[in-house]
Amino acid sequence: QVQLVESGGGLAQAGGSLTLSCAASGRTLWTYTMGWFREVPGKQREFVAGIRWSTDSPYYTDSVKGRFTASRDNAKSTVYLQMNSLKPEDTAVYYCAAKRPGDHDYLYWGQGTQVTVSS
């Protein structure tokens, strides 16, 4: 079982920055892949970024490349999403998720945190 708790959402102006945190816990956590997703009402949940605890090679959806940075702090069991150069279209509820090795789908999800970017 993995528990995920996000924090750090809020309101930002276009061009501004926010950092999201996801505190994770679980017995076999270090084997999991962590992901960041976002969801806008009426639209499908969208993958934003992924990172593994065992490597430092995050990957991103094209729309956030060069603006968002995913990172992890193994000592704190926390993953982060640094969001720079925010755009109004980044407005969404952001979710942290965890995927077991070999699985296609993310199994564990946090509660979500709202990010609102004003123009």
Side-chain angles (χ1 to χ4, degrees), residues 36-70:
W36 287 100
F37 291 77
R38 63 188 180 187
E39 188 171 2
V40 175
K43 293 188 177 181
Q44 194 169 6
R45 189 171 293 185
E46 176 190 25
F47 172 82
V48 175
I51 188 167
R52 297 182 178 88
W53 293 105
S54 58
T55 67
D56 194 16
S57 300
Y59 44 99
Y60 308 93
T61 192
D62 286 346
S63 62
V64 307
K65 284 180 181 177
R67 301 189 298 121
F68 290 11
T69 302

Side-chain angles (χ1 to χ4, degrees), residues 83-116:
M83 304 184 294
N84 297 327
S85 302
L86 283 163
K87 303 176 181 180
E89 51 263 44
D90 294 319
T91 296
V93 177
Y94 283 72
Y95 295 89
C96 174
K99 181 171 64 170
R100 297 179 302 189
D103 282 0
H104 177 270
D105 295 328
Y106 284 79
L107 182 61
Y108 301 104
W109 294 84
Q111 81 284 3
T113 185
Q114 177 70 48
V115 170
T116 302

